[in-house]
Amino acid sequence: MRLSLREHSVIPGFGLTLGYTLVYLSLIVLLPLSALFLKTAGVPWSKLWTIVTEPRVMASYKLTFGASLIGALVNVVFGFITAWCLVRYRFPGRKLLDAVVDLPFALPTAVSGIALTAIYNKNGWIGQFLEPLGIKAAFSQLGVVIAMTFIGLPFVVRTLQPALEELDGESEEAAASLGASRWQTFWRVILPTIAPSLVTGFSLAFARALGEYGSVVFISGNMPMKTEITSLLIITKLEQYDYAGAAAIAVVMLLASFLILLGVNVLQWWVSRGYQKGTT
């Protein structure tokens, strides 16, 4: 129901709440981000371009965005299966399993990074089986993907669960009674309904992975040009008192993230619009 400005509300005072909202957003979001651009504005354009296009920086961009994209896509598939299992089936330990999904939210990122490194190194519980197959998980680009997949899973599962709970099971039964196969039921009945939530979960997982530091820094090995993520490169420049260089790289990441999220939101709007047209 649409709320007009003069309509009675539980929280009184539209002007007060709007003012609080603008001040809060300015202090927490807009001012810190503006400081990045102000710091970068003092750097000559030629030097700025040189900083943000150094081979080492470009390699970190490629790894960060590529691993984030792969991690988000993996989470779309396995996050859907997890959400489906938790919503559609009742089994002993379901609530415990449901709570485990939130662990990446609750764990300090450094703790999760140490845990992932411990089990995926060549002597770890999982790494000892991968090593004979020639698969090196820890201290490689695969380790970066694993860490980014780990921290992004809850975003997909928690976004999909409400959509799956509202999914009408009668539509699936009707499709099956009309002779549709399981794949046709999924593709034509289930997927169009959950597509907006799926895109939202993907975008949240992708955005979260782009800025990840703690869980990646241990398992990646931090080798320049190979397994060095952009967040670590920014920290390295700060430790070297190169504040302008760190701010320049951060601005590039900020602009790239904003453009990618804008594109994902446009895609989400397009998918939601197509779904609404299909249901009318």
Side-chain angles (χ1 to χ4, degrees):
M1 181 174 63
R2 191 171 182 176
L3 186 67
S4 65
L5 297 182
R6 295 183 177 180
E7 190 172 341
H8 176 73
S9 173
V10 174
I11 301 177
F14 168 74
L16 179 63
T17 53
L18 179 61
Y20 171 80
T21 302
L22 293 177
V23 171
Y24 187 78
L25 285 178
S26 298
L27 291 176
I28 301 299
V29 180
L30 297 180
L31 283 179
L33 296 183
S34 301
L36 275 179
F37 287 95
L38 290 176
K39 189 68 180 179
T40 309
V43 182
W45 171 250
S46 57
K47 183 180 179 182
L48 180 67
W49 182 254
T50 302
I51 292 173
V52 299
T53 58
E54 286 180 0
R56 182 177 174 182
V57 179
M58 295 297 290
S60 73
Y61 293 152
K62 184 179 178 181
L63 175 61
T64 302
F65 284 96
S68 299
L69 178 63
I70 294 173
L73 290 174
V74 170
N75 278 326
V76 165
V77 176
F78 293 99
F80 168 76
I81 296 173
T82 304
W84 180 273
C85 179
L86 293 174
V87 171
R88 287 303 180 94
Y89 301 106
R90 297 292 180 269
F91 53 89
R94 187 181 69 88
K95 290 186 177 179
L96 178 62
L97 186 63
D98 190 48
V100 168
V101 172
D102 288 332
L103 276 180
F105 277 148
L107 275 177
T109 55
V111 174
S112 60
I114 293 172
L116 290 173
T117 306
I119 65 172
Y120 280 102
N121 69 58
K122 62 180 182 181
N123 298 321
W125 292 349
I126 300 177
Q128 62 179 326
F129 298 107
L130 298 178
E131 191 73 13
L133 301 175
I135 302 174
K136 186 178 181 181
F139 314 122
S140 69
Q141 294 183 353
L142 176 60
V144 179
V145 174
I146 291 172
M148 292 184 173
T149 304
F150 173 81
I151 54 97
L153 177 64
F155 292 95
V156 178
V157 176
R158 294 307 182 212
T159 307
L160 278 176
Q161 277 183 306
L164 289 174
E165 288 171 353
E166 294 179 0
L167 190 63
D168 185 11
E170 294 180 356
S171 301
E172 299 169 42
E173 295 175 1
S177 65
L178 292 174
S181 63
R182 290 185 176 182
W183 171 250
Q184 289 172 325
T185 302
F186 171 77
W187 185 256
R188 295 181 181 275
V189 178
I190 298 174
L191 186 59
T193 305
I194 65 170
S197 299
L198 203 61
V199 174
T200 301
F202 167 81
S203 61
L204 291 175
F206 181 70
R208 177 69 178 83
L210 282 180
E212 181 57 21
Y213 174 76
S215 61
V216 178
V217 70
F218 294 103
I219 197 172
S220 67
N222 309 318
M223 292 178 284
M225 305 293 292
K226 293 181 178 178
T227 61
E228 188 178 46
I229 59 173
T230 305
S231 298
L232 176 66
L233 196 54
I234 293 172
I235 295 293
T236 302
K237 287 190 175 293
L238 289 175
E239 291 175 345
Q240 296 171 348
Y241 303 104
D242 184 6
Y243 300 120
I249 298 172
V251 166
V252 171
M253 289 293 291
L254 177 63
L255 293 176
S257 301
F258 176 77
L259 291 175
I260 291 173
L261 288 178
L262 181 63
V264 172
N265 285 331
V266 171
L267 175 62
Q268 184 184 6
W269 171 80
W270 180 76
V271 170
S272 301
R273 187 184 178 193
Y275 170 68
Q276 290 174 357
K277 284 185 176 180
T279 55
T280 56

